[in-house]
């Protein structure tokens, strides 16, 4: 069990460094801007909670394998299933790869957070031709895989926090922003590409909805 926890912790560290640290460094080298915009909204608002929950999910993702190493028990039914851990490893690796591909596809438009005063290019090619938020989808898949590798309560809570953070960020912050900035082009895009999964969530985006 400890070997799986150490593996999950190492994978989380690699994922965090590549998806945020290295990606930000590449962004700064190419554009002069690391792309970090921070938490949106006033404290207590839905957009603020999106940012807070995202941070908590990352902290929980690191803490879950550490807690497993410290002796936190797995959830009932998970036991010492090797098949579950191997499945988690495969899912996590696929999610990590997809995260990097999706981030790369954003080019100079990659951001962490939203600055309502700036305008970025609307990316609709590559993975974005099928899913409007492939980075978030890939991150959620990665977190699910890591949770399967160390299936304790903290891992599940961290994954749930990420899902809620992503839902709030997309629906409350990003979709209204993109609809306002790109207008009909974004509305047409929402009719072609799913929100998180191909073919699911295609609709005309109504700002503020």
């Amino acid at each position: 069990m400890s070997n799986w926890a150490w593996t999950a912790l190492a994978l989380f560290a690699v994922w965090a460094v590549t998806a945020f640290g290295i990606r930000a460094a590449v962004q700064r080298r190419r554009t002069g801007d690391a792309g970090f915009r921070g938490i949106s909204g006033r404290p207590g608002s839905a957009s603020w909670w999106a940012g807070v929950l995202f941070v908590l999910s990352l902290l929980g993702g690191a803490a879950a394998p550490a807690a497993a190493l410290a002796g936190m028990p797995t959830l009932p039914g998970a036991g010492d299933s090797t098949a579950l851990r191997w499945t988690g490893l495969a899912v996590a690796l696929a999610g990590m790869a997809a995260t990097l591909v999706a981030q790369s596809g954003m080019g100079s438009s990659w951001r962490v957070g939203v600055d309502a005063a700036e305008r970025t290019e609307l990316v609709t090619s590559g993975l974005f031709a099928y899913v409007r938020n492939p980075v978030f989808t890939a991150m959620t898949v990665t977190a699910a895989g890591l949770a399967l590798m160390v299936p304790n309560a903290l891992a599940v809570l961290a994954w749930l926090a990420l899902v809620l953070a992503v839902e709030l960020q997309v629906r409350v912050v990003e979709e209204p922003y993109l609809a306002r900035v790109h207008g009909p082009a974004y509305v047409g895009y929402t009719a072609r590409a799913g929100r998180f999964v191909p073919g699911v969530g295609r609709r005309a985006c109504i700002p503020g909805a």
Side-chain angles (χ1 to χ4, degrees):
M1 180 62 186
S2 63
N3 288 337
W4 284 109
W6 279 114
T7 302
L9 189 59
L11 282 178
F12 179 88
V14 170
W15 179 49
V17 169
T18 54
F20 296 101
I22 294 178
R23 180 61 207 176
V26 170
Q27 190 78 355
R28 180 178 289 278
R29 188 179 71 234
R30 290 178 176 175
T31 68
D33 183 345
F36 285 92
R37 297 296 179 266
I39 296 175
S40 304
R42 58 178 176 76
S45 66
S47 57
W48 180 84
W49 273 112
V52 170
L53 286 169
F54 187 79
V55 172
L56 290 176
S57 72
L58 291 179
L59 294 175
L69 289 170
M72 176 177 280
T74 59
L75 293 172
D80 295 322
S81 172
T82 302
L84 184 68
R85 271 74 175 178
W86 278 109
T87 299
L89 177 60
V91 170
L93 289 173
M96 291 170 66
T99 300
L100 299 180
V101 171
Q103 287 181 326
S104 179
M106 293 188 73
S108 61
S109 294
W110 181 78
R111 298 286 188 277
V112 175
V114 170
D115 180 352
E118 71 178 332
R119 179 189 178 95
T120 58
E121 178 186 356
L122 179 62
V123 180
T124 61
S125 60
L127 294 179
F128 290 85
Y130 309 98
V131 179
R132 303 198 300 272
N133 303 282
V135 175
F136 284 145
T137 298
M139 292 180 68
T140 304
V141 169
T142 303
L146 294 172
L148 290 175
M149 293 175 68
V150 285
N152 55 35
L154 190 53
V156 173
L157 288 174
W159 182 79
L160 290 174
L162 178 60
V163 170
L164 183 54
V166 165
E167 287 283 353
L168 287 173
Q169 179 69 15
V170 168
R171 295 173 185 268
V172 177
V173 180
E174 297 195 0
E175 287 186 346
Y177 162 77
L178 290 169
R180 184 176 67 254
V181 170
H182 295 287
Y186 182 69
V187 172
Y189 176 49
T190 66
R192 300 192 306 271
R195 179 178 279 119
F196 298 113
V197 179
V200 179
R202 292 184 299 180
R203 65 179 180 86
C205 178
I206 301 174

